[in-house]
Amino acid sequence: MRTKPSLTPSLGGLARKAQLLDCAVDVLVELGFAGTSVAEVARRAGVSKGVVTYHFPTKEDLLGEVVASLYREAGEQIGQATGDSDSVIGELATYIRSNLTFVADHPRHVRAVMEVAANMRPADGPPGGEDPLSAHLRELIERGQATGEVADVDAGVLAMTIRASIDAAAARAACDPTADPRGHAEHLVTIVRRALLATEPR
Amino acid sequence: MRTKPSLTPSLGGLARKAQLLDCAVDVLVELGFAGTSVAEVARRAGVSKGVVTYHFPTKEDLLGEVVASLYREAGEQIGQATGDSDSVIGELATYIRSNLTFVADHPRHVRAVMEVAANMRPADGPPGGEDPLSAHLRELIERGQATGEVADVDAGVLAMTIRASIDAAAARAACDPTADPRGHAEHLVTIVRRALLATEPR
Amino acid sequence: MRTKPSLTPSLGGLARKAQLLDCAVDVLVELGFAGTSVAEVARRAGVSKGVVTYHFPTKEDLLGEVVASLYREAGEQIGQATGDSDSVIGELATYIRSNLTFVADHPRHVRAVMEVAANMRPADGPPGGEDPLSAHLRELIERGQATGEVADVDAGVLAMTIRASIDAAAARAACDPTADPRGHAEHLVTIVRRALLATEPR
Amino acid sequence: MRTKPSLTPSLGGLARKAQLLDCAVDVLVELGFAGTSVAEVARRAGVSKGVVTYHFPTKEDLLGEVVASLYREAGEQIGQATGDSDSVIGELATYIRSNLTFVADHPRHVRAVMEVAANMRPADGPPGGEDPLSAHLRELIERGQATGEVADVDAGVLAMTIRASIDAAAARAACDPTADPRGHAEHLVTIVRRALLATEPR
DNA sequence: AATGAATGAGGTTTCATTCAT
DNA sequence: CATGAATGAAACCTCATTCAT
């Protein structure tokens, strides 16, 4: 039997995968997690449903890779901007700025991952315990407190607050093109510096 | 889980409705928005699916009432604790404390509403724009800045940050029984006071 | 036990039944057979669903009575107008006129019965065989042919055609208030008379 | 590798669609519109419910195609038999004969379409106004009256009567295999000719 | 690699009916 | 008589997944 010519020829594995991930991001952003179906992703990619399940055997694989690829990119971009400061305050500022710069550069992908994270909970029930990203921040702050560099506010709460502020700005940036994540970073840095460095009045 | 070991007695309208709302909250917390089906709610209540749709014609009605009932309760409890301070810092502290006290008292309900809010997007597309709760905080802060009572940090960013911190603590409290929202409130108040009142060094 | 005061006091059986039948007719006309539910009938009557099933244990009882009551009324009204003519043509004319007069007087009820008839098929499968109403007409025509009073067209086909024309006019009248069933009757009488009495040309 | 024998082999799109339409016709004829469910159609086709919704996304699509396919076939078959007569009476006879010949050839399909038509009301409320098929007939008759070729009976009523007679014969033929639509056509032609051509006595 | 067909589970909703009060 | 609550079946539809080609 003759092979039927395909409208959408092979893209050689990796390219096809990247295309599908792109489409998945779009669908997540526009239709939300609940509205994201394999069929819709395929439709936007202009391929058949089978193509999606060929490259990503299950839906979880697809969405998991949406998350993982963002983490990979974020790790690279943020990793570069790290460690080049010797003060704790400086490191915090770098962390906040690099995080929100990344968000400003990839608002849609970030939003997509938020959709997934809010809905695809790990099999072992709700997380509970401290978020690892906050934990890292907390340790950083505690280090500064140990050396007396920064004031003695609750490190855990401040860490959570910084993380939450970054995430909120990201969420906003993903939906609202007029939002300004980089400005948010600067103002947040100011707030954090005041909280950590300032001398309380009187 | 919360089901009273009753075969299926008539509960007389309001009680049944309350029971179903309770069960819906449980399901939302444990299974997430995506895992919340009318059937599961009915199963936990020990009644048939029809009972749920009898009292809440559509799923949206059910989840909407989960949200609305929390807002009602929060409005009452938080409303009482408001306005009794004449300094902006005092009002902020009251706001933070009453919010997190409420969260400490209703962690599961709060978490359930978060699940709904994160997923049930309004028909008119993604929100965009400033969150009304943050806006209220921002105005409060700006009022203090106009009178010179507090420092000139960015009011919008600080408002978002406070709201985000409260929400993060709420999310944590809903999943982790060892979390301490009231402690979070105190530490957050300290952080905010420092950011707004302290004199920057040098 | 104290009797609970009712918003919709007892109508004494028969009146309530009549009211429910009226409402059922309305629903059938406006929403069609498929849209006719016990709940909707109750809603229009301003009573609870239970009232309907109290008076008409099953939906079939309700709709069956809609049909039966029309037949009763039609039987009375048409019965009076019958038999007072001694020519077959006269009897046919009387039949047609009395049928369409009845339709003109009860368009909604007629339409409702059509909805039911088209959908509620007898348990023993589709009817098949000659419609009894047509059969009566056919016999009448054949009687006239036996005496030579009317021409020798096919009595069965003419009978079916007359019946179908009456029904079509009824269907029209039920939906279209500008329709004129009585005019239709006159014109149909003319057509039938021509078909039965005229001498074919040449 | 040997091909695993499939219980429900792939029929290649069009064939499967045709099969499903056939089954839908059967169900409509035997169980009526109200008794026609997607599940029942699937059961008769020996496939799963999903297959039906795969080929016809909604029930309306399925039933709509039942109607449309009949119209297509009827259009072809009746179109061929049209326009080859120059007298109005001749055209009427051709119309009646071709209609009922078609009915005689496809009694079940015709009956199925009647079920659908009687129940699937257009979204814009009850129709009201003249049926387009009757309208065409009326214009034909009026043309003949304008030239004096045929008598001056009411064209609208006669048109409705002819249409109704054809439909009644079709309904009968679909349920009763002993019915004779072609015979009906001949007798109906005779009746119509007498009504239009004969000279009234006296 | 890619496709279209098929599956079956599960979701929401409607509804006739039953029953205690 | 009347009601509101409850039931359970059945409807339509969506979807992740599997499979032959």
Side-chain angles (χ1 to χ4, degrees), chain A residues 105-142:
Chain A
D105 290 345
H106 310 81
R108 294 176 74 78
H109 201 163
V110 168
R111 174 97 191 115
V113 168
M114 284 181 163
E115 285 288 334
V116 175
N119 288 282
M120 219 173 65
R121 48 187 57 194
D124 53 1
E130 192 183 21
D131 159 46
L133 292 174
S134 291
H136 170 242
L137 275 178
R138 180 181 46 72
E139 285 158 17
L140 188 57
I141 296 166
E142 282 170 347

Side-chain angles (χ1 to χ4, degrees), chain A residues 128-170:
Chain A
E130 192 183 21
D131 159 46
L133 292 174
S134 291
H136 170 242
L137 275 178
R138 180 181 46 72
E139 285 158 17
L140 188 57
I141 296 166
E142 282 170 347
R143 223 155 49 227
Q145 290 171 334
T147 66
E149 180 190 339
V150 302
D152 222 24
V153 300
D154 188 281
V157 169
L158 181 55
M160 262 179 78
T161 300
I162 293 172
R163 236 351 299 162
S165 183
I166 292 172
D167 288 344

Side-chain angles (χ1 to χ4, degrees), chain A residues 115 119 121 161 165 194-195 198, chain B residues 115 119 121 161 165 194-195 198:
Chain A
E115 285 288 334
N119 288 282
R121 48 187 57 194
T161 300
S165 183
R194 291 179 61 93
Chain B
E115 285 289 335
N119 288 283
R121 50 183 56 190
T161 301
S165 183
R194 290 180 62 91

Side-chain angles (χ1 to χ4, degrees), chain A residues 69-79 102:
Chain A
S69 67
L70 184 79
Y71 277 23
R72 255 191 320 268
E73 286 180 53
E76 285 168 26
Q77 181 167 329
I78 294 178
F102 182 83

Side-chain angles (χ1 to χ4, degrees), chain C residues 115 119 121 161 165 194-195 198, chain D residues 115 119 121 161 165 194-195 198:
Chain C
E115 284 289 334
N119 288 283
R121 50 187 54 195
T161 300
S165 182
R194 289 180 63 91
Chain D
E115 285 288 335
N119 288 283
R121 48 183 59 189
T161 300
S165 182
R194 289 180 63 92

Side-chain angles (χ1 to χ4, degrees), chain A residues 16-197:
Chain A
R16 178 55 32 110
K17 259 180 157 152
Q19 179 206 14
L20 292 176
L21 287 172
D22 252 15
C23 291
V25 165
D26 286 349
V27 177
L28 282 164
V29 170
E30 285 168 43
L31 267 30
F33 182 87
T36 299
S37 67
V38 172
E40 179 62 19
V41 173
R43 211 180 55 74
R44 299 217 182 191
V47 299
S48 77
K49 243 185 331 182
V51 176
V52 179
T53 58
Y54 175 78
H55 291 283
F56 301 94
T58 76
K59 190 188 188 180
E60 212 183 327
D61 290 329
L62 173 61
L63 299 187
E65 187 57 24
V66 167
V67 173
S69 67
L70 184 79
Y71 277 23
R72 255 191 320 268
E73 286 180 53
E76 285 168 26
Q77 181 167 329
I78 294 178
Q80 290 182 331
T82 228
D84 52 349
S85 170
D86 47 3
S87 77
V88 164
I89 290 282
E91 277 197 53
L92 281 175
T94 301
Y95 179 91
I96 291 169
R97 288 194 186 102
S98 62
N99 265 266
L100 282 167
T101 296
F102 182 83
V103 164
D105 290 345
H106 310 81
R108 294 176 74 78
H109 201 163
V110 168
R111 174 97 191 115
V113 168
M114 284 181 163
E115 285 288 334
V116 175
N119 288 282
M120 219 173 65
R121 48 187 57 194
D124 53 1
E130 192 183 21
D131 159 46
L133 292 174
S134 291
H136 170 242
L137 275 178
R138 180 181 46 72
E139 285 158 17
L140 188 57
I141 296 166
E142 282 170 347
R143 223 155 49 227
Q145 290 171 334
T147 66
E149 180 190 339
V150 302
D152 222 24
V153 300
D154 188 281
V157 169
L158 181 55
M160 262 179 78
T161 300
I162 293 172
R163 236 351 299 162
S165 183
I166 292 172
D167 288 344
R172 177 85 184 274
C175 298
D176 179 355
T178 72
D180 171 22
R182 271 179 266 249
H184 187 101
E186 293 316 313
H187 296 307
L188 180 56
V189 166
T190 299
I191 290 167
V192 170
R193 189 171 42 217
R194 291 179 61 93
L196 281 176
L197 288 190

